[in-house]
Amino acid sequence: KYVDITEEKLEAIFGEGSIVGFAYPHGQLNKAVKQYLIDAGYLYARKTGSIKATTGFDMPADRFAWTYNADASCLLAVMKQYDEKADDGKLKFFSFGVHSVDYKNCWDDLQEFADTYGNRPEDFWYASNRDIFEYEDAVKALIITEESITNPSDITVYITVNNVKVKLPAGATLGLSDIEAEAPKTEIDFENSTPENLHSSLTANLVSDVAKE
């Protein structure tokens, strides 16, 4: 009931179809509410607290039971882990909780984070939760054959093929022979590959401040 009521009120402000995420009241996961959100077509739902990057900045395994990588208690420590994380070609996810009152006694930490990662669009993608999860869906939807890679989604994706970084627009197909001349051909195990572990890698790191719920 309250999920529907709040969605209706928020869509009256932000527009129909704009509400795709949910934050559990007081951050406490409720299994019945979780299933209701899934059935209702929500994209994600989040808890509260911090996992302190124990997942290695992997994308959330459960979109309806995830939480921040960091909060006010560990922001700089987790930032250091993120800086030192090697780029393995997989999608990475850095989300931190921001409530101004939480940073009342450590505002300098938030300022240092902003100075480190702010105003660097060539290095980082500043994205909402919705942006990130929809991008992940687009990557997973790539159609990969021995001859080509097709992007059937309406989102442009950025991939690395045969050591070449490629921008693959929405609806486009890339013939692998088209880029063979640009880099030495590498052996690709198509049978055991997925868009996540071989052919698809974000060329920009992900940073989300969960500003859009």
Side-chain angles (χ1 to χ4, degrees):
K1 174 183 177 181
Y2 294 109
V3 172
D4 295 336
I5 292 174
T6 53
E7 179 182 358
E8 182 178 338
K9 289 183 176 181
L10 288 170
E11 287 193 340
I13 299 172
F14 297 105
E16 184 177 353
S18 60
I19 308 305
V20 298
F22 186 84
Y24 295 105
H26 307 292
Q28 297 177 356
L29 175 62
N30 180 294
K31 291 183 179 180
V33 174
K34 175 183 177 181
Q35 190 58 53
Y36 183 86
L37 295 170
I38 294 172
D39 294 341
Y42 276 72
L43 187 61
Y44 67 88
R46 117 182 126 65
K47 304 182 292 182
T48 193
S50 168
I51 60 172
K52 296 180 174 58
T54 54
T55 62
F57 302 101
D58 289 338
M59 294 293 289
D62 185 345
R63 290 187 185 181
F64 290 85
W66 65 276
T67 188
Y68 308 127
N69 295 111
D71 57 21
S73 70
C74 60
L75 179 59
L76 295 187
V78 174
M79 181 181 78
K80 186 173 185 293
Q81 293 180 48
Y82 185 71
D83 283 339
E84 296 173 349
K85 184 70 177 178
D87 182 3
D88 61 4
K90 297 181 182 180
L91 300 179
K92 293 301 173 191
F93 181 85
F94 190 168
S95 173
F96 71 96
V98 179
H99 299 96
S100 57
V101 66
D102 296 338
Y103 289 85
K104 180 174 62 175
N105 298 318
C106 56
W107 189 260
D108 288 346
D109 290 355
L110 186 59
Q111 185 64 55
E112 181 176 343
F113 183 90
D115 290 341
T116 301
Y117 291 126
N119 197 30
R120 293 172 57 188
E122 72 282 359
D123 298 318
F124 300 101
W125 178 32
Y126 306 109
S128 69
N129 293 325
R130 179 176 188 165
D131 292 335
I132 291 172
F133 289 127
E134 288 183 341
Y135 187 93
E136 182 185 33
D137 285 342
V139 169
K140 290 181 177 180
L142 292 176
I143 301 171
I144 302 171
T145 70
E146 294 185 4
E147 291 80 27
S148 65
I149 302 175
T150 298
N151 176 12
S153 76
D154 58 1
I155 297 174
T156 295
V157 298
Y158 299 83
I159 61 178
T160 300
V161 183
N162 293 343
N163 301 316
V164 178
K165 292 181 179 179
V166 179
K167 178 180 178 180
L168 189 58
T173 295
L174 171 70
L176 296 184
S177 60
D178 296 339
I179 62 171
E180 285 182 347
E182 300 182 41
K185 184 173 177 59
T186 57
E187 190 67 27
I188 298 178
D189 182 0
F190 286 94
E191 182 177 353
N192 299 310
S193 299
T194 69
E196 296 158 289
N197 65 21
L198 259 183
H199 309 306
S200 304
S201 62
L202 255 179
T203 58
N205 298 299
L206 304 184
V207 176
S208 171
D209 59 9
V210 293
K212 300 178 182 177
E213 294 289 354

